[in-house]
PDB file of all heavy atoms in Angstrom:
ATOM      1  N   GLU A 101      35.672  -7.681  19.329  1.00  0.00           N
ATOM      2  CA  GLU A 101      36.882  -8.457  19.082  1.00  0.00           C
ATOM      3  C   GLU A 101      38.121  -7.716  18.408  1.00  0.00           C
ATOM      4  O   GLU A 101      39.202  -8.032  18.607  1.00  0.00           O
ATOM      5  CB  GLU A 101      36.492  -9.609  18.049  1.00  0.00           C
ATOM      6  CG  GLU A 101      35.719 -10.757  18.736  1.00  0.00           C
ATOM      7  CD  GLU A 101      35.404 -11.734  17.588  1.00  0.00           C
ATOM      8  OE1 GLU A 101      35.679 -11.569  16.464  1.00  0.00           O
ATOM      9  OE2 GLU A 101      35.111 -12.983  18.035  1.00  0.00           O
ATOM     10  N   ASN A 102      37.767  -6.538  17.805  1.00  0.00           N
ATOM     11  CA  ASN A 102      38.769  -5.815  17.165  1.00  0.00           C
ATOM     12  C   ASN A 102      39.090  -4.442  17.859  1.00  0.00           C
ATOM     13  O   ASN A 102      39.583  -3.524  17.307  1.00  0.00           O
ATOM     14  CB  ASN A 102      38.475  -5.412  15.676  1.00  0.00           C
ATOM     15  CG  ASN A 102      38.522  -6.662  14.822  1.00  0.00           C
ATOM     16  OD1 ASN A 102      39.345  -7.494  14.868  1.00  0.00           O
ATOM     17  ND2 ASN A 102      37.390  -6.935  14.069  1.00  0.00           N
ATOM     18  N   GLY A 103      38.969  -4.507  19.186  1.00  0.00           N
ATOM     19  CA  GLY A 103      39.335  -3.332  20.009  1.00  0.00           C
ATOM     20  C   GLY A 103      38.500  -2.053  19.824  1.00  0.00           C
ATOM     21  O   GLY A 103      38.878  -0.998  19.886  1.00  0.00           O
ATOM     22  N   GLY A 104      37.148  -2.235  19.521  1.00  0.00           N
ATOM     23  CA  GLY A 104      36.304  -1.232  19.465  1.00  0.00           C
ATOM     24  C   GLY A 104      36.132  -0.670  18.069  1.00  0.00           C
ATOM     25  O   GLY A 104      35.274   0.268  17.887  1.00  0.00           O
ATOM     26  N   GLU A 105      36.833  -1.048  17.110  1.00  0.00           N
ATOM     27  CA  GLU A 105      36.762  -0.681  15.723  1.00  0.00           C
ATOM     28  C   GLU A 105      36.217  -1.729  14.845  1.00  0.00           C
ATOM     29  O   GLU A 105      36.444  -2.973  15.125  1.00  0.00           O
ATOM     30  CB  GLU A 105      38.135  -0.340  15.242  1.00  0.00           C
ATOM     31  CG  GLU A 105      38.791   0.923  15.927  1.00  0.00           C
ATOM     32  CD  GLU A 105      38.031   2.225  15.497  1.00  0.00           C
ATOM     33  OE1 GLU A 105      37.562   2.446  14.378  1.00  0.00           O
ATOM     34  OE2 GLU A 105      37.791   3.103  16.401  1.00  0.00           O
ATOM     35  N   ALA A 106      35.549  -1.400  13.840  1.00  0.00           N
ATOM     36  CA  ALA A 106      35.031  -2.338  12.945  1.00  0.00           C
ATOM     37  C   ALA A 106      36.286  -2.973  12.104  1.00  0.00           C
ATOM     38  O   ALA A 106      37.142  -2.168  11.924  1.00  0.00           O
ATOM     39  CB  ALA A 106      34.016  -1.746  11.900  1.00  0.00           C
ATOM     40  N   PRO A 107      36.213  -4.139  11.747  1.00  0.00           N
ATOM     41  CA  PRO A 107      37.356  -4.689  11.030  1.00  0.00           C
ATOM     42  C   PRO A 107      37.484  -4.081   9.710  1.00  0.00           C
ATOM     43  O   PRO A 107      36.487  -3.646   8.954  1.00  0.00           O
ATOM     44  CB  PRO A 107      37.062  -6.257  11.038  1.00  0.00           C
ATOM     45  CG  PRO A 107      35.668  -6.401  11.209  1.00  0.00           C
ATOM     46  CD  PRO A 107      35.194  -5.231  12.028  1.00  0.00           C
ATOM     47  N   GLU A 108      38.698  -4.013   9.022  1.00  0.00           N
ATOM     48  CA  GLU A 108      38.939  -3.503   7.819  1.00  0.00           C
ATOM     49  C   GLU A 108      38.179  -4.397   6.799  1.00  0.00           C
ATOM     50  O   GLU A 108      38.424  -5.695   6.849  1.00  0.00           O
ATOM     51  CB  GLU A 108      40.411  -3.569   7.455  1.00  0.00           C
ATOM     52  CG  GLU A 108      41.059  -2.361   8.090  1.00  0.00           C
ATOM     53  CD  GLU A 108      40.628  -0.996   7.690  1.00  0.00           C
ATOM     54  OE1 GLU A 108      40.381  -0.837   6.405  1.00  0.00           O
ATOM     55  OE2 GLU A 108      40.376  -0.108   8.472  1.00  0.00           O
ATOM     56  N   ARG A 109      37.400  -3.814   5.829  1.00  0.00           N
ATOM     57  CA  ARG A 109      36.897  -4.611   4.824  1.00  0.00           C
ATOM     58  C   ARG A 109      37.753  -4.779   3.605  1.00  0.00           C
ATOM     59  O   ARG A 109      38.519  -3.788   3.391  1.00  0.00           O
ATOM     60  CB  ARG A 109      35.587  -3.884   4.326  1.00  0.00           C
ATOM     61  CG  ARG A 109      34.580  -4.016   5.355  1.00  0.00           C
ATOM     62  CD  ARG A 109      33.231  -3.478   4.752  1.00  0.00           C
ATOM     63  NE  ARG A 109      32.095  -3.821   5.773  1.00  0.00           N
ATOM     64  CZ  ARG A 109      30.901  -3.812   5.301  1.00  0.00           C
ATOM     65  NH1 ARG A 109      30.604  -3.440   4.076  1.00  0.00           N
ATOM     66  NH2 ARG A 109      29.959  -4.058   6.157  1.00  0.00           N
ATOM     67  N   PRO A 110      37.788  -5.793   2.848  1.00  0.00           N
ATOM     68  CA  PRO A 110      38.479  -5.838   1.646  1.00  0.00           C
ATOM     69  C   PRO A 110      38.059  -4.827   0.636  1.00  0.00           C
ATOM     70  O   PRO A 110      36.806  -4.640   0.531  1.00  0.00           O
ATOM     71  CB  PRO A 110      38.427  -7.170   1.134  1.00  0.00           C
ATOM     72  CG  PRO A 110      37.144  -7.737   1.773  1.00  0.00           C
ATOM     73  CD  PRO A 110      36.962  -7.067   3.033  1.00  0.00           C
ATOM     74  N   VAL A 111      38.976  -4.108   0.007  1.00  0.00           N
ATOM     75  CA  VAL A 111      38.491  -3.184  -0.960  1.00  0.00           C
ATOM     76  C   VAL A 111      38.891  -3.752  -2.339  1.00  0.00           C
ATOM     77  O   VAL A 111      40.074  -3.906  -2.553  1.00  0.00           O
ATOM     78  CB  VAL A 111      39.267  -1.755  -0.662  1.00  0.00           C
ATOM     79  CG1 VAL A 111      38.976  -0.786  -1.755  1.00  0.00           C
ATOM     80  CG2 VAL A 111      38.984  -1.359   0.631  1.00  0.00           C
ATOM     81  N   TYR A 112      37.885  -4.002  -3.063  1.00  0.00           N
ATOM     82  CA  TYR A 112      38.080  -4.455  -4.442  1.00  0.00           C
ATOM     83  C   TYR A 112      37.909  -3.403  -5.503  1.00  0.00           C
ATOM     84  O   TYR A 112      37.159  -2.315  -5.235  1.00  0.00           O
ATOM     85  CB  TYR A 112      37.125  -5.626  -4.798  1.00  0.00           C
ATOM     86  CG  TYR A 112      37.241  -6.737  -3.792  1.00  0.00           C
ATOM     87  CD1 TYR A 112      36.357  -6.971  -2.818  1.00  0.00           C
ATOM     88  CD2 TYR A 112      38.325  -7.566  -3.884  1.00  0.00           C
ATOM     89  CE1 TYR A 112      36.531  -8.029  -1.888  1.00  0.00           C
ATOM     90  CE2 TYR A 112      38.523  -8.578  -3.098  1.00  0.00           C
ATOM     91  CZ  TYR A 112      37.614  -8.834  -1.959  1.00  0.00           C
ATOM     92  OH  TYR A 112      37.719  -9.942  -1.102  1.00  0.00           O
ATOM     93  N   SER A 113      38.514  -3.455  -6.691  1.00  0.00           N
ATOM     94  CA  SER A 113      38.374  -2.401  -7.651  1.00  0.00           C
ATOM     95  C   SER A 113      36.975  -2.189  -8.248  1.00  0.00           C
ATOM     96  O   SER A 113      36.666  -1.126  -8.565  1.00  0.00           O
ATOM     97  CB  SER A 113      39.499  -2.778  -8.829  1.00  0.00           C
ATOM     98  OG  SER A 113      39.050  -3.943  -9.353  1.00  0.00           O
TER      99      SER A 113
END
Side-chain angles (χ1 to χ4, degrees):
E101 285 183 344
N102 292 314
E105 293 290 324
E108 286 292 321
R109 289 184 169 199
V111 179
Y112 300 107
S113 61

